[in-house]
Amino acid sequence: MAGDTVLLSATIALSARGRGRTAPNPNVGCIVLDAAGRVAGRGWTQPGGRPHAEAMALAQAGDRARGGTAYVSLEPCAHDSVRGPCCASLLVGSGVARVVVALTDPDPRTNGEGVARLRAAGIAVTVGMLEAQARAAMAGFLTRQRSRRPFVTLKLATSLDGCIALPDGSSQWITGEAARAHAHVERARHELILIGRGTLAHDRPRLDVRLPGLADRSPVRCVLSRSGAAPEGWLAVERPSDIASLPGDHLLIEGGAQTAAAFLTEDLVDRLLLYRAPILIGRGMASLADIGLIDLADAHERWRLTDERTLAPDRLEVYERMRAG
Amino acid sequence: MAGDTVLLSATIALSARGRGRTAPNPNVGCIVLDAAGRVAGRGWTQPGGRPHAEAMALAQAGDRARGGTAYVSLEPCAHDSVRGPCCASLLVGSGVARVVVALTDPDPRTNGEGVARLRAAGIAVTVGMLEAQARAAMAGFLTRQRSRRPFVTLKLATSLDGCIALPDGSSQWITGEAARAHAHVERARHELILIGRGTLAHDRPRLDVRLPGLADRSPVRCVLSRSGAAPEGWLAVERPSDIASLPGDHLLIEGGAQTAAAFLTEDLVDRLLLYRAPILIGRGMASLADIGLIDLADAHERWRLTDERTLAPDRLEVYERMRAG
């Protein structure tokens, strides 16, 4: 139907509400229409991973789901658990006539099985619409499924000439209030935040979310430290690849140049948040240390601009790592 | 009239055709309407500075100018010369009933006198529309009038992390074909191009305009060299402030980091052309050497983004120096 794209897009937008709060479960979105095409229920995976989006939306819809349509950003799960029936069963039981799915669930316990169960119950199923949008919204879960590690975002705040500080280390402030507030919203969308040992020793940053109403969304603090030493309440990561064992599917790296370079060298950065102030610094501290680049040709076709905006007087650009498959 | 803005904007766009080719004269644009409001003539200052825009447009219009309206991006000159009557006299003689002027001419020989002559002849004159747009189009002439030096554009082509080359100096290629072609169009709009002694020795760049049909628009090559030494056909500049004596009102600086910094330190850069490729280099060569910045607060409120565009896969940002008055 012509309206499928709009409704599925709204469903994926709903899914983003759970970003950074549902691991190890995916942050899914669900919208249920009644038989007349009116919205009867909306749901998204709740903090901690339950209830699932479908359960929330179907509970809202109640009997109105009968003969209606459910939109889901991810294939409904097909594995019943001690905590209740799986979402495929819930959908079958609700009496919906049709289900529109953005993305197949790569989890081996579901992978196609959710759709198969729906079809076996006589429900019409459409799969594979708006896949790219759904992938972006659930990047944390998908990265964990595919690469067994969190989705990694590297934040850089620089001058136009790429410096993160003056030679004496002073960096307060390069970017303005709007950019800093945006960076705090980004923190709220991550379970984990990481800095290097040098930044920890030098700045002792709080790394919390200093926005009204979002203080409880501060991510768990981690430090990259070869010795494994970390302040109380912090987690230590001895090598970049050790992030695989961190609890959470979204990791934000906030500094400094050595730490950023360590993750880039191992190709463990999926997304760049590049905040740039309209200033020139000159001989300052560079944003990145050595990332092992030898031939300029190897630097190309790795990053794609996916978002940009003005955060006056600064600019934000978001780049994502292009990966095969 | 409501159409004044559109017509004056088109007039200013015409003026840009002469940019980089009319010094020491301003690059002016002129559109003449007949009494019925139809375009009867279009003109822009021709290479070398003559004919002036008004002479060209009025010659096209002929008798159709009578009772019509003339749009000019700059106040018509009021100083007759051996080469012919001034533009104010030409406009009076043409019989136009009305003249719309974007900007008053700061040249002391005209400064208000052109408008006064028109009004004395009974012509209705409007002055001061679209001033900012006109200033941008005639920045070279205006900078020469005000600061007795060319308008200076600094071009930088960098990675996302602000590097202009790998540690070994290799920089071919950071930006792609579209960005390089755009940079050649920029060369064609400048009378003068300048590099540092190091870049000259290292790269021996041709600095010409390698675009079909524009080869004759290559700027005069200059080198910043304390010894005053320059290759045959090149001009030498011993200190940044010496650009005041260069022939031409638009100077493009193309490298390297020391030369860029030398001009920035003396606040002699009016415009930044920032071409950025979606690549990361890491420990590379920085785009700028020391520019004398000690306090971060002093770096702010100097640069304003005035244009941006995608030159796939790269991005161009244009920043202009905000100056008082």
Side-chain angles (χ1 to χ4, degrees):
Chain A
M1 297 195 306
D4 280 352
T5 304
V6 173
L7 283 156
L8 194 55
S9 183
T11 301
I12 294 169
L14 271 187
S15 82
R17 297 192 180 189
R19 183 174 169 144
R21 311 185 79 188
T22 65
N25 285 353
N27 54 300
V28 180
C30 178
I31 291 180
V32 175
L33 304 188
D34 64 17
R38 290 171 300 214
V39 173
R42 293 151 72 246
W44 56 96
T45 316
Q46 294 298 296
R50 282 187 178 266
H52 285 188
E54 297 92 326
M56 178 175 169
L58 290 172
Q60 279 182 16
D63 281 346
R64 292 178 61 201
R66 196 156 304 278
T69 301
Y71 295 86
V72 284
S73 62
L74 188 72
E75 179 184 11
C77 64
H79 41 286
D80 293 299
S81 87
V82 292
R83 284 164 295 190
C86 66
C87 291
S89 299
L90 287 178
L91 284 162
V92 169
S94 75
V96 295
R98 187 164 169 262
V99 175
V100 180
V101 178
L103 206 64
T104 301
D105 187 349
D107 185 321
R109 295 172 298 177
T110 294
N111 203 347
E113 184 59 28
V115 168
R117 280 214 200 181
L118 298 176
R119 287 189 170 138
I123 296 174
V125 183
T126 303
V127 182
M129 287 178 65
L130 302 183
E131 282 190 334
Q133 188 183 335
R135 275 184 203 287
M138 296 181 286
F141 170 75
L142 296 170
T143 302
R144 176 68 76 178
Q145 287 292 319
R146 172 177 162 156
S147 308
R148 303 285 147 203
R149 62 165 178 84
F151 182 79
V152 177
T153 296
L154 170 62
K155 174 204 157 189
L156 297 173
T158 78
S159 61
L160 295 180
D161 52 325
C163 295
I164 55 171
L166 262 58
D168 68 4
S170 58
S171 61
Q172 289 188 344
W173 294 104
I174 287 180
T175 52
E177 270 186 46
R180 297 205 300 274
H182 187 280
H184 278 253
V185 171
E186 279 289 334
R187 284 182 180 173
R189 302 173 78 215
H190 287 78
E191 295 98 338
L192 303 159
I193 190 165
L194 181 146
I195 58 174
R197 212 163 50 93
T199 303
L200 176 63
H202 187 271
D203 297 340
R204 276 271 164 190
R206 286 161 40 188
L207 304 183
D208 52 359
V209 178
R210 292 193 285 283
L211 292 173
L214 289 178
D216 67 336
R217 299 283 290 270
S218 295
V220 173
R221 293 174 291 187
C222 312
V223 57
L224 180 66
S225 159
R226 270 188 217 170
S227 69
E232 198 182 321
W234 290 55
L235 301 178
V237 172
E238 295 184 27
R239 291 177 305 273
S241 59
D242 290 350
I243 58 171
S245 61
L246 291 176
D249 289 349
H250 304 83
L251 171 67
L252 180 63
I253 299 176
E254 286 215 6
Q258 293 289 347
T259 300
F263 280 84
L264 286 165
T265 300
E266 301 200 20
D267 198 11
L268 287 172
V269 177
D270 302 298
R271 181 167 167 260
L272 292 175
L273 279 177
L274 196 45
Y275 299 92
R276 293 160 64 244
I279 66 172
L280 296 174
I281 287 184
R283 188 185 51 96
M285 290 174 64
S287 54
L288 296 180
D290 189 5
I291 60 171
L293 182 69
I294 291 165
D295 186 342
L296 206 40
D298 297 334
H300 289 278
E301 292 174 29
R302 296 170 74 87
W303 299 97
R304 188 168 46 96
L305 184 69
T306 57
D307 193 14
E308 51 159 332
R309 64 187 67 189
T310 295
L311 298 164
D314 308 315
R315 295 271 301 160
L316 166 65
E317 291 175 346
V318 181
Y319 289 87
E320 297 200 19
R321 179 77 171 88
M322 294 184 275
R323 300 192 193 274
Chain B
M1 297 195 305
D4 280 353
T5 303
V6 173
L7 283 156
L8 193 56
S9 183
T11 302
I12 294 168
L14 270 187
S15 82
R17 296 192 181 189
R19 184 174 169 142
R21 310 185 80 188
T22 65
N25 285 354
N27 53 301
V28 181
C30 178
I31 291 180
V32 175
L33 304 188
D34 65 17
R38 290 172 299 214
V39 173
R42 292 152 72 248
W44 56 95
T45 316
Q46 293 298 295
R50 282 187 178 267
H52 285 186
E54 298 91 327
M56 179 175 169
L58 290 171
Q60 279 181 16
D63 282 346
R64 293 177 61 200
R66 195 156 303 279
T69 301
Y71 295 86
V72 285
S73 62
L74 188 72
E75 179 183 10
C77 63
H79 41 286
D80 293 299
S81 86
V82 293
R83 285 163 296 188
C86 66
C87 291
S89 299
L90 287 178
L91 284 163
V92 170
S94 75
V96 294
R98 186 163 170 263
V99 175
V100 180
V101 178
L103 205 65
T104 302
D105 187 351
D107 186 320
R109 295 171 299 179
T110 295
N111 202 347
E113 184 60 27
V115 168
R117 279 214 201 182
L118 297 177
R119 285 187 171 140
I123 296 175
V125 183
T126 303
V127 182
M129 288 177 64
L130 302 184
E131 282 190 334
Q133 188 182 337
R135 275 184 204 288
M138 295 180 286
F141 170 75
L142 295 171
T143 302
R144 176 68 75 178
Q145 287 291 319
R146 172 177 161 154
S147 308
R148 302 286 147 202
R149 62 165 178 82
F151 181 81
V152 176
T153 296
L154 169 62
K155 174 203 155 188
L156 297 173
T158 78
S159 60
L160 295 180
D161 53 325
C163 296
I164 55 172
L166 261 58
D168 67 5
S170 59
S171 62
Q172 287 188 345
W173 294 103
I174 288 181
T175 51
E177 269 186 48
R180 297 205 302 274
H182 188 280
H184 278 254
V185 172
E186 278 289 335
R187 284 182 180 174
R189 302 172 78 213
H190 286 78
E191 296 98 337
L192 304 158
I193 190 166
L194 181 144
I195 57 173
R197 213 164 49 94
T199 303
L200 176 63
H202 186 271
D203 296 340
R204 276 272 165 190
R206 284 160 43 187
L207 304 181
D208 52 359
V209 178
R210 292 192 287 282
L211 292 172
L214 289 177
D216 67 336
R217 298 283 290 271
S218 296
V220 173
R221 293 174 292 186
C222 311
V223 58
L224 179 66
S225 159
R226 271 188 215 169
S227 70
E232 198 182 320
W234 290 56
L235 302 178
V237 171
E238 295 184 25
R239 292 176 305 273
S241 60
D242 290 351
I243 58 169
S245 61
L246 291 175
D249 289 347
H250 304 82
L251 171 67
L252 179 63
I253 300 176
E254 287 216 6
Q258 293 289 346
T259 300
F263 280 86
L264 286 165
T265 301
E266 302 200 18
D267 198 10
L268 287 172
V269 177
D270 303 297
R271 181 167 167 259
L272 293 176
L273 279 176
L274 195 45
Y275 299 92
R276 295 161 62 246
I279 66 172
L280 296 173
I281 287 183
R283 187 184 49 96
M285 290 175 62
S287 54
L288 296 180
D290 189 5
I291 61 171
L293 182 68
I294 291 165
D295 186 343
L296 207 41
D298 298 334
H300 289 277
E301 291 174 27
R302 297 170 73 89
W303 299 97
R304 188 169 48 96
L305 183 68
T306 57
D307 193 13
E308 51 160 332
R309 64 187 67 188
T310 296
L311 298 164
D314 308 315
R315 296 270 302 160
L316 167 65
E317 291 175 346
V318 181
Y319 289 87
E320 296 200 19
R321 180 76 172 87
M322 294 184 275
R323 299 191 194 274

